[in-house]
């Protein structure tokens, strides 16, 4: 079974802080993704990575950056957290872009 | 018109009933179709995926795709309280992007 692990289930930070969300997958998947999920808006893609050190913007990249130094690890960075970034953040991975994605259990992030 | 439409619910049905969950889509180029189940405070879990029109069965779950009508369904037979969750449909477009529906909340009443 694919295992996607997100480092924190719940996180509370203050506005202006730099926030790091970590994700690790154990299936040697090429592709990794970061989404945020908000009521009424569904899943929105922030960034994805198709290889180590490679990244592509998704639909809502503003205010975020990512890092993929190793194949199994994909980090989401909030450069200067703001209250409108309070959300559920979901990491996913897939072997190819044309195969289903497998999700972690999410990080519920609150920015105060 | 949105690319993928899914009724948000909530849909409440009695235990043991057959549940029908549906999505419509506008892009005839969508190539394969997935259903995810998401329990409260958890990530989405892949339930089923299929490439072709017709039915695909897995235990109590049946996924149905009608490409001519741009309509997909997930049927759950003998529904259980443990089936209470949000169900998301998802589809792969030609540019290799996966488009998700917003999910339907399902409550199975004991």
């Amino acid at each position: 079974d694919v295992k996607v692990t997100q480092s924190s289930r719940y996180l509370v930070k203050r506005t202006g802080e730099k926030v790091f969300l970590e994700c690790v997958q154990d299936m040697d998947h090429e592709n990794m993704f970061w989404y945020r999920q908000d009521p009424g808006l569904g899943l929105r893609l922030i960034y994805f990575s198709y290889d180590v050190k490679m990244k592509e913007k998704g639909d809502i990249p503003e205010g975020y950056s990512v890092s993929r130094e190793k194949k199994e690890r994909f980090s989401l960075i909030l450069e200067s957290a703001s209250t409108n970034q309070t959300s559920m953040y979901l990491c996913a991975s897939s072997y190819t872009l044309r195969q289903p994605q497998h999700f972690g259990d999410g990080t519920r992030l609150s920015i105060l | 018109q949105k690319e993928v439409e899914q009724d948000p619910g909530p849909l409440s049905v009695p235990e043991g009933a057959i549940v029908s969950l549906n999505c419509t889509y506008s892009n005839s180029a969508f190539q394969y179709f997935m259903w995810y189940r998401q329990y409260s405070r958890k990530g989405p879990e892949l339930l089923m995926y299929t490439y072709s029109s017709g039915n695909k069965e897995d235990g109590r779950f049946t996924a149905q795709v009608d490409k001519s009508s741009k309509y997909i369904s997930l049927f759950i037979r003998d529904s259980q309280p443990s089936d209470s969750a949000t169900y998301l449909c998802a589809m792969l477009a030609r540019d290799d992007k996966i488009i998700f529906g917003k999910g339907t909340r399902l409550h199975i009443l004991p």
Side-chain angles (χ1 to χ4, degrees):
Chain A
D1 269 0
V2 178
K3 184 78 173 169
V4 179
T5 303
Q6 294 185 231
S7 54
S8 305
R9 293 298 306 277
Y10 302 94
L11 210 51
V12 180
K13 296 290 183 181
R14 298 227 173 257
T15 55
E17 281 193 71
K18 191 168 186 175
V19 180
F20 293 85
L21 302 183
E22 306 285 344
C23 175
V24 176
Q25 52 94 2
D26 67 355
M27 284 301 292
D28 203 34
H29 281 174
E30 301 293 327
N31 305 285
M32 297 187 74
F33 307 83
W34 276 106
Y35 293 88
R36 60 180 285 178
Q37 186 177 36
D38 300 287
L41 297 177
L43 284 164
R44 291 182 290 168
L45 181 64
I46 304 170
Y47 268 98
F48 71 98
S49 168
Y50 53 90
D51 200 352
V52 174
K53 297 191 186 295
M54 306 305 287
K55 61 187 179 185
E56 290 279 346
K57 292 180 180 179
D59 299 318
I60 52 162
E62 297 78 20
Y64 302 94
S65 62
V66 291
S67 172
R68 193 163 179 207
E69 296 295 320
K70 293 186 178 181
K71 191 174 187 179
E72 67 271 18
R73 187 178 298 270
F74 193 34
S75 303
L76 179 70
I77 303 152
L78 285 65
E79 298 290 344
S80 176
S82 64
T83 55
N84 63 11
Q85 292 178 309
T86 291
S87 187
M88 171 74 135
Y89 288 88
L90 289 160
C91 175
S93 71
S94 67
Y95 187 62
T96 72
L97 287 176
R98 301 178 61 77
Q99 290 184 315
Q101 296 172 18
H102 299 268
F103 286 84
D105 275 339
T107 296
R108 189 166 292 279
L109 175 65
S110 296
I111 307 296
L112 304 178
Chain B
Q1 186 182 6
K2 293 177 183 169
E3 284 194 286
V4 178
E5 302 235 31
Q6 190 175 8
D7 189 325
L11 177 64
S12 297
V13 299
E15 183 176 355
I18 295 174
V19 175
S20 172
L21 301 164
N22 310 296
C23 285
T24 58
Y25 62 96
S26 58
N27 189 341
S28 59
F30 284 150
Q31 296 184 40
Y32 79 70
F33 306 89
M34 294 152 276
W35 284 98
Y36 286 82
R37 177 178 61 196
Q38 186 175 20
Y39 291 118
S40 181
R41 290 184 285 277
K42 293 282 210 173
E45 169 196 9
L46 180 67
L47 271 180
M48 299 183 72
Y49 67 95
T50 181
Y51 291 85
S52 55
S53 283
N55 293 352
K56 181 178 180 179
E57 197 171 310
D58 183 1
R60 295 186 296 113
F61 297 90
T62 299
Q64 185 178 83
V65 174
D66 182 347
K67 288 187 179 179
S68 62
S69 301
K70 300 195 192 83
Y71 191 89
I72 68 169
S73 299
L74 178 71
F75 298 99
I76 307 174
R77 288 184 301 281
D78 187 26
S79 55
Q80 306 293 313
S82 59
D83 295 326
S84 297
T86 297
Y87 290 80
L88 295 89
C89 63
M91 308 178 189
L92 177 72
R94 281 202 195 278
D95 61 356
D96 292 346
K97 185 176 176 183
I98 292 183
I99 311 294
F100 290 88
K102 292 181 180 177
T104 298
R105 282 188 296 142
L106 173 67
H107 297 302
I108 306 298
L109 306 170

